[in-house]
């Protein structure tokens, strides 16, 4: 740093000679170099600094790379990747999805329907042609169909997903002419409660010869209003593309029905709101932050005629834990889809109350941060009985495996943190809960040793 400051000082002295001989302290400011005429001072470019450095150092053979490393302590590691670059990388992780459902009726016989959606590759072994793909449950779910969970799921990569070019849909909704491009996928986990499904691809020749890549979930527990985001999806089944916007609201609830049997059978989903354009067919596609990491999975939009730019997405802090749970269930129990899918989720068997909510402007990160004070309202059973108490303020929850290694941890700044982290708990794990009790922080350990500590969620 001293060398850098010395160089800047030296450059300031040399600049008077190198930039035309005018004084840096001119009161006239005719050329705008010092801004005294009301104009901004002229910008100094890295190239100008580089040329001055060669003169000052007496080394005309100094390369730009040597200058950056020697004088600016720059090694290239902090170069920001452009938004366009991240978007194009994300296109290589996206998939368009076609699902073909079968319906058998004694009145109309056998019929089919094809629906479109989107997904994101989150794990990839290209040499083997294997992948895991996340999407919405409602993309692969129809409770009026013969199978409920679709057994004919086809994925198409970017550049291979255009109807009548890469595939065709003919009479009785038969999907044809896609032998070179279709990637067959199996539904290995799905949750109606969270509107998330996990697809598995095995031995795909299309993947083996592709330049596909896996996307990464953001591990940040928070998103912020104004944060720039982009979608990758298959709107209206027209092939993958992207839309750009911001986070309009970081957390809210929406009520939706995934059931085609009963539209009144609604569930409430925790979502973030975005003004990035969302259209039918975007469902299941990823919503990315500027850094190219998934911050949410798109699942809904407001279709009312007098509403503009209100799309919704399931936040990554919930989805990434759910996906891990679905995959764990698959590995432990095999494919449960024929028995209804869903998960067994750990239960603290407490009710919580939100006793305070406020926002603070974070000067370091330049964001408005919402904080919520979450208390235990009541304790209704094991494993919390006798350990947690009504009135305890929840401060932190940590999940550890049987060896005591930390698996997941979250500081409780929002009420939803409590529910989210319970998705990470498996039988045998220990949950360490830090609470504030009588103005003193206390940690209690809860051992999730019994199946009765878990409850089924469809």
């Amino acid at each position: 740093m001293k060398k850098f400051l010395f160089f800047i000082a030296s450059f300031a002295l040399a600049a008077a000679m190198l930039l035309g001989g005018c004084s840096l302290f001119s009161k006239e400011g005719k050329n705008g170099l010092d801004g005294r005429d009301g104009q901004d001072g002229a910008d100094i470019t890295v190239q100008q600094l580089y040329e001055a450095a060669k003169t000052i150092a007496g080394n005309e053979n100094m390369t730009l790379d040597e200058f950056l490393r020697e004088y600016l302590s720059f090694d290239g590691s902090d170069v920001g990747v452009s938004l366009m670059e991240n978007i194009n990388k994300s296109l290589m992780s996206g998939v368009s999805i076609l699902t073909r459902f079968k319906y058998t009726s004694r009145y109309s016989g056998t019929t089919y329907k094809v629906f479109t959606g989107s997904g994101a590759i989150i794990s990839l072994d290209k040499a083997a042609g294997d992948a895991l793909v996340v999407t919405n449950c409602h993309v692969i779910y129809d409770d009026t169909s013969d199978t409920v969970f679709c057994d004919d799921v086809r994925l198409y990569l970017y550049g291979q997903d255009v109807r009548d070019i890469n595939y065709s849909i003919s009479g009785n909704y038969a999907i044809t002419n896609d032998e070179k491009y279709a990637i067959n996928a199996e539904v290995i986990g799905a949750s109606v409660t969270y509107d998330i499904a996990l697809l598995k691809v095995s031995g795909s020749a299309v993947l083996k010869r592709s330049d596909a890549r896996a996307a990464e979930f953001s591990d940040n527990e928070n998103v912020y209003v104004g944060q720039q985001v982009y979608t990758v999806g298959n709107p209206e089944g027209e092939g993958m593309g992207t839309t750009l916007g911001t986070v309009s609201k970081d957390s809210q609830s929406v009520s939706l029905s995934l059931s085609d049997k009963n539209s009144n059978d609604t569930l409430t989903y925790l979502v973030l709101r975005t003004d990035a354009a969302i259209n039918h067919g975007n469902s299941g596609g990823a919503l990315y932050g500027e850094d190219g990491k998934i911050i949410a999975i798109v699942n809904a939009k407001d279709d009312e005629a007098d509403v503009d730019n209100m799309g919704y997405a399931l936040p990554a802090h919930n989805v990434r834990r759910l996906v891990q749970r679905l995959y764990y269930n698959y590995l432990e129990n095999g494919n449960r889809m024929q028995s209804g899918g869903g998960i067994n989720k750990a239960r603290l068997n407490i009710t919580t109350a939100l006793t305070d909510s406020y926002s603070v402007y974070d000067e370091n990160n330049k964001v408005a941060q919402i904080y919520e004070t979450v208390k235990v309202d009541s304790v209704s059973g094991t494993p919390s009985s006798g350990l947690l108490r009504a009135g305890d303020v929840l401060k932190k929850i940590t999940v550890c495996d049987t060896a005591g290694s930390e698996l997941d941890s979250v500081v409780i700044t929002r009420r939803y943190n409590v529910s989210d982290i319970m998705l990470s708990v498996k039988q045998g794990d220990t949950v360490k809960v830090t609470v504030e009790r009588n103005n003193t922080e206390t940690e209690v350990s809860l051992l999730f040793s019994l199946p009765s500590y878990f409850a089924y969620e469809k």
Side-chain angles (χ1 to χ4, degrees):
M1 182 58 70
K2 287 182 179 179
K3 181 177 286 188
F4 171 68
L5 292 175
F6 170 76
F7 167 70
I8 293 297
S10 299
F11 174 76
L13 293 173
M17 298 178 288
L18 296 175
L19 299 180
C22 61
S23 169
L24 288 175
F25 305 103
S26 166
K27 295 183 180 180
E28 296 179 358
K30 297 292 185 180
N31 54 15
L33 285 174
D34 61 9
R36 286 177 179 253
D37 61 350
Q39 302 179 48
D40 291 335
D43 292 333
I44 296 173
T45 68
V46 171
Q47 185 66 31
Q48 288 173 321
L49 290 173
Y50 168 51
E51 295 298 335
K54 289 194 293 184
T55 300
I56 294 168
N59 181 7
E60 288 298 320
N61 295 320
M62 182 193 303
T63 67
L64 179 60
D65 183 66
E66 290 171 341
F67 160 69
L68 292 173
R69 293 175 186 275
E70 182 73 10
Y71 289 92
L72 301 187
S73 301
F74 173 75
D75 62 6
S77 61
D78 57 346
V79 174
V81 178
S82 74
L83 180 62
M84 185 179 73
E85 182 176 345
N86 276 332
I87 288 174
N88 280 270
K89 286 181 179 178
S90 299
L91 286 169
M92 306 307 291
S93 304
V95 293
S96 295
I97 300 178
L98 292 186
T99 53
R100 187 173 188 249
F101 288 92
K102 179 181 178 182
Y103 308 84
T104 302
S105 166
R106 69 180 190 177
Y107 300 107
S108 57
T110 300
T111 58
Y112 295 86
K113 290 182 182 177
V114 172
F115 299 96
T116 62
S118 305
I121 299 170
I122 56 172
S123 176
L124 178 64
D125 181 346
K126 196 163 59 174
D130 297 344
L132 294 176
V133 174
V134 64
T135 187
N136 285 145
C137 181
H138 74 254
V139 171
I140 52 86
Y141 174 85
D142 184 345
D143 57 2
T144 66
S145 72
D146 290 1
T147 58
V148 180
F149 299 99
C150 188
D151 60 2
D152 186 356
V153 180
R154 308 186 195 195
L155 316 179
Y156 302 86
L157 299 174
Y158 180 62
Q160 301 179 341
D161 59 347
V162 180
R163 183 172 178 174
D164 297 327
I165 294 179
N166 304 117
Y167 68 89
S168 301
I169 299 177
S170 57
N172 205 18
Y173 292 98
I175 306 172
T176 61
N177 302 321
D178 66 348
E179 293 80 5
K180 286 179 60 178
Y181 308 108
I183 301 170
N184 295 316
E186 174 190 13
V187 182
I188 63 168
S191 170
V192 173
T193 302
Y194 295 96
D195 195 17
I196 287 294
L198 185 62
L199 312 179
K200 186 174 186 290
V201 176
S202 301
S204 167
V206 177
L207 275 182
K208 289 178 182 180
R209 67 171 184 262
S210 75
D211 199 25
R213 60 177 61 211
E216 182 181 351
F217 281 111
S218 170
D219 59 4
N220 197 328
E221 295 293 328
N222 299 303
V223 295
Y224 300 99
V225 173
Q227 182 177 340
Q228 192 168 43
V229 294
Y230 60 90
T231 68
V232 170
N234 179 28
E236 303 298 334
E238 297 292 336
M240 264 188 293
T242 184
T243 59
L244 190 64
T246 61
V247 173
S248 307
K249 190 172 178 62
D250 69 324
S251 179
Q252 70 177 91
S253 297
V254 296
S255 294
L256 302 169
S257 175
L258 268 61
S259 174
D260 287 327
K261 283 184 177 179
N262 182 8
S263 61
N264 293 320
D265 184 14
T266 60
L267 291 166
T268 299
Y269 298 95
L270 177 72
V271 295
L272 61 83
R273 188 201 308 161
T274 179
D275 63 359
I278 303 295
N279 294 286
H280 297 290
N282 275 113
S283 290
L287 185 73
Y288 293 88
E290 285 182 286
D291 61 358
K293 294 183 179 181
I294 299 173
I295 67 165
I297 298 297
V298 172
N299 79 319
K301 65 172 292 186
D302 196 321
D303 272 337
E304 295 184 30
D306 58 347
V307 174
D308 292 323
N309 300 330
M310 290 182 67
Y312 305 102
L314 304 160
H317 57 71
N318 187 288
V319 174
R320 59 184 169 83
R321 292 182 171 111
L322 179 63
V323 165
Q324 290 171 350
R325 163 61 66 181
L326 291 172
Y327 191 59
Y328 171 78
N329 284 357
Y330 170 73
L331 294 178
E332 291 293 306
N333 307 312
N335 197 334
R336 299 179 54 197
M337 301 316 301
Q338 298 308 315
S339 60
I343 59 168
N344 289 319
K345 183 180 177 182
R347 289 288 191 270
L348 286 169
N349 286 319
I350 63 173
T351 60
T352 61
L354 183 63
T355 62
D356 196 8
S357 178
Y358 57 95
S359 61
V360 173
Y361 184 73
D362 184 337
E363 289 285 357
N364 290 327
N365 296 310
K366 310 304 180 187
V367 295
Q369 175 72 63
I370 295 176
Y371 292 93
E372 296 171 346
T373 302
V374 184
K375 286 188 177 182
V376 176
D377 192 45
S378 64
V379 180
S380 57
T382 53
S384 298
S385 292
L387 295 170
L388 293 178
R389 303 176 187 174
D392 285 347
V393 178
L394 298 172
K395 306 294 286 186
K396 183 179 180 181
I397 297 178
T398 301
V399 181
C400 298
D401 63 15
T402 54
S405 299
E406 184 177 307
L407 299 174
D408 199 357
S409 183
V410 65
V411 176
I412 308 301
T413 59
R414 304 292 291 270
R415 192 176 187 179
Y416 59 71
N417 295 145
V418 180
S419 176
D420 280 0
I421 196 168
M422 299 313 291
L423 287 166
S424 296
V425 182
K426 304 182 298 295
Q427 188 172 337
D429 290 345
T430 296
V431 175
K432 298 178 180 180
V433 185
T434 302
V435 301
E436 184 181 300
R437 181 184 297 166
N438 300 323
N439 297 319
T440 302
E441 284 201 357
T442 301
E443 182 182 88
V444 300
S445 293
L446 311 175
L447 178 60
F448 280 75
S449 56
L450 300 175
S452 59
Y453 298 165
F454 297 77
Y456 174 73
E457 291 184 336
K458 66 178 180 179

